[in-house]
Amino acid sequence: MPQTTLTDRFGRTVNYVRLSVTDRCDFRCVYCMAEEMTFLPRQQVLTLEEIARVARTFVSLGTEKIRLTGGEPLVRKDILELVKEIGSYGLRDFAMTTNGSQLPTMAESLRRAGLNRLNISLDSLDPDKFHRITRTGRLSQVLDGIEAAKDAGFQGIKLNTVVMKGGNDQEVPELVEFAREKKVDITFIEEMPLGEISDHDRGLVLCTSDEVRGIIGQRHELTPTPEDSGGPARYYRMADSDIRVGFISPHSHNFCATCNRVRMTVEGRLLLCLGNEHSVDLRHVLRAHPESDAPLREAIISAMDLKPERHHFSTDGDVQILRFMNMTGG
């Protein structure tokens, strides 16, 4: 009988895949990429049809959750066609991570195409600081995008904030109040050491999840909740609000023991761990076997043996992984 679930050497079931659809973005966030980026040539980028083949094959192997990432996925031409295709696969959870810039015009179409949830990056509520962090972004456009997503009927909307000490950590209380007002979840993320950057010293700006919880705790008591979104966040609730506050802590409280995820870059590299370079070239398999998904299926199954037990991010600002976050895929 064909294998219908993916399990690694450590007994972890892999049922969640993040698919990057582009390395390009209309923002240049300081923790994600260099200000002057060189993007991949078109022939190295998977077609939307190839990405759909990978998604379909993962679903046949027990994947229950797919997230589309980038770069910024909504700058990929014809992205709605891919959303419609994957939206027809009967997933338990179909999500996208976005900077929100394109949501004012695309939120309703994405919802109709079958997307369930949105994670929207929001690192500051101060227009000048937002522009400094994103280098090219306009806060008003993202705020309009959040409203458009709510108006489109997305029930699952979550804000993502990468917290940097001396950068936006003083805004944590304001961001929590904004999330409470908008009735959307918010997750605070420790910056990950991916790619060489010159904007700041990661070791100096690291703001741990414990520190962020302490900041929030001065205004609101946070109660741990066992709720699970199928991802790495640990969630808390407040007695006087329905929203959840999440924390993703790759440095201070790594989530490796329960990791159920793999990622595919837009050039078809299947990454078995965010913090390691273990990977398999699925693009080669796709293009060598255009008429059959069986070799792709076997390549994915075999790749599970490469998934490491854990990552080893340091807290001193050293870069363990040279690829930027926009290359990794969210």
Side-chain angles (χ1 to χ4, degrees):
M1 184 176 178
Q3 179 173 342
T4 55
T5 58
L6 293 172
T7 306
D8 70 7
R9 293 174 297 141
F10 306 99
R12 296 171 298 194
T13 297
V14 175
N15 57 10
Y16 174 13
V17 60
R18 299 186 181 195
L19 301 174
S20 175
V21 300
T22 182
D23 63 327
R24 298 173 186 270
C25 187
D26 49 344
F27 290 2
R28 296 288 185 274
C29 294
V30 297
Y31 52 79
C32 182
M33 66 176 80
E35 189 166 7
E36 299 295 331
M37 283 295 298
T38 300
F39 296 108
L40 293 168
R42 181 171 295 181
Q43 65 270 21
Q44 292 185 29
V45 171
L46 296 187
T47 66
L48 295 181
E49 291 77 13
E50 288 170 332
I51 296 172
R53 278 183 67 192
V54 172
R56 187 169 61 247
T57 302
F58 266 102
V59 171
S60 76
L61 290 166
T63 291
E64 300 175 337
K65 177 177 179 178
I66 288 177
R67 176 178 297 281
L68 299 182
T69 67
E72 170 49 47
L74 295 181
V75 302
R76 177 77 189 252
K77 185 180 179 183
D78 297 326
I79 185 63
L80 282 174
E81 295 307 311
L82 180 64
V83 172
K84 288 177 186 176
E85 173 65 21
I86 297 177
S88 70
Y89 293 168
L91 290 160
R92 175 179 58 81
D93 190 359
F94 182 27
M96 177 182 286
T97 295
T98 173
N99 65 27
S101 67
Q102 306 301 312
L103 289 177
T105 58
M106 296 186 70
E108 188 172 342
S109 297
L110 288 166
R111 188 73 188 94
R112 287 202 307 265
L115 197 68
N116 303 136
R117 295 194 304 112
L118 287 168
N119 283 11
I120 304 171
S121 298
L122 183 67
D123 295 318
S124 177
L125 291 167
D126 176 272
D128 292 335
K129 188 179 296 184
F130 183 89
H131 184 73
R132 194 198 74 76
I133 292 172
T134 63
R135 294 193 179 109
T136 58
R138 288 190 298 112
L139 175 62
S140 60
Q141 196 173 0
V142 175
L143 297 182
D144 288 346
I146 294 169
E147 288 302 318
K150 290 173 62 68
D151 291 344
F154 279 98
Q155 297 302 307
I157 300 174
K158 185 177 76 171
L159 306 179
N160 282 348
T161 300
V162 175
V163 186
M164 294 169 283
K165 191 172 293 183
N168 61 350
D169 56 325
Q170 293 182 340
E171 285 194 73
V172 166
E174 186 179 356
L175 285 159
V176 170
E177 295 310 317
F178 178 82
R180 286 163 56 95
E181 176 191 340
K182 298 298 180 182
K183 295 181 171 54
V184 296
D185 293 345
I186 186 166
T187 292
F188 295 99
I189 305 170
E190 295 175 351
E191 184 179 357
M192 301 182 191
L194 301 178
E196 293 277 7
I197 60 171
S198 59
D199 179 85
H200 58 275
D201 184 324
R202 285 179 169 135
L204 295 178
V205 305
L206 175 64
C207 192
T208 69
S209 295
D210 289 343
E211 291 175 294
V212 177
R213 269 196 299 275
I215 294 170
I216 298 171
Q218 294 174 18
R219 293 193 184 187
H220 303 286
E221 183 178 352
L222 293 175
T223 303
T225 171
E227 294 171 85
D228 181 8
S229 68
R234 292 181 170 94
Y235 287 103
Y236 292 73
R237 285 195 178 271
M238 297 168 281
D240 59 344
S241 175
D242 290 332
I243 76 162
R244 298 181 303 175
V245 179
F247 299 90
I248 296 179
S249 318
H251 293 284
S252 59
H253 300 282
N254 82 63
F255 35 77
C256 302
T258 58
C259 183
N260 62 342
R261 298 168 295 289
V262 292
R263 291 168 169 81
M264 187 184 71
T265 71
V266 72
E267 56 186 333
R269 284 179 62 205
L270 181 64
L271 300 173
L272 284 305
C273 173
L274 179 63
N276 288 276
E277 292 291 10
H278 304 73
S279 67
V280 172
D281 184 359
L282 297 185
R283 184 181 67 196
H284 172 76
V285 180
L286 284 162
R287 295 181 180 177
H289 304 278
E291 303 299 326
S292 173
D293 289 341
L296 176 63
R297 182 184 173 94
E298 290 307 311
I300 292 171
I301 293 171
S302 298
M304 294 304 110
D305 285 342
L306 297 177
K307 188 169 175 63
E309 186 172 14
R310 58 164 297 174
H311 65 248
H312 295 277
F313 287 152
S314 73
T315 58
D316 59 9
D318 285 347
V319 175
Q320 282 86 45
I321 303 297
L322 293 179
R323 55 182 152 77
F324 286 103
M325 198 68 191
N326 72 299
M327 302 295 295
T328 301

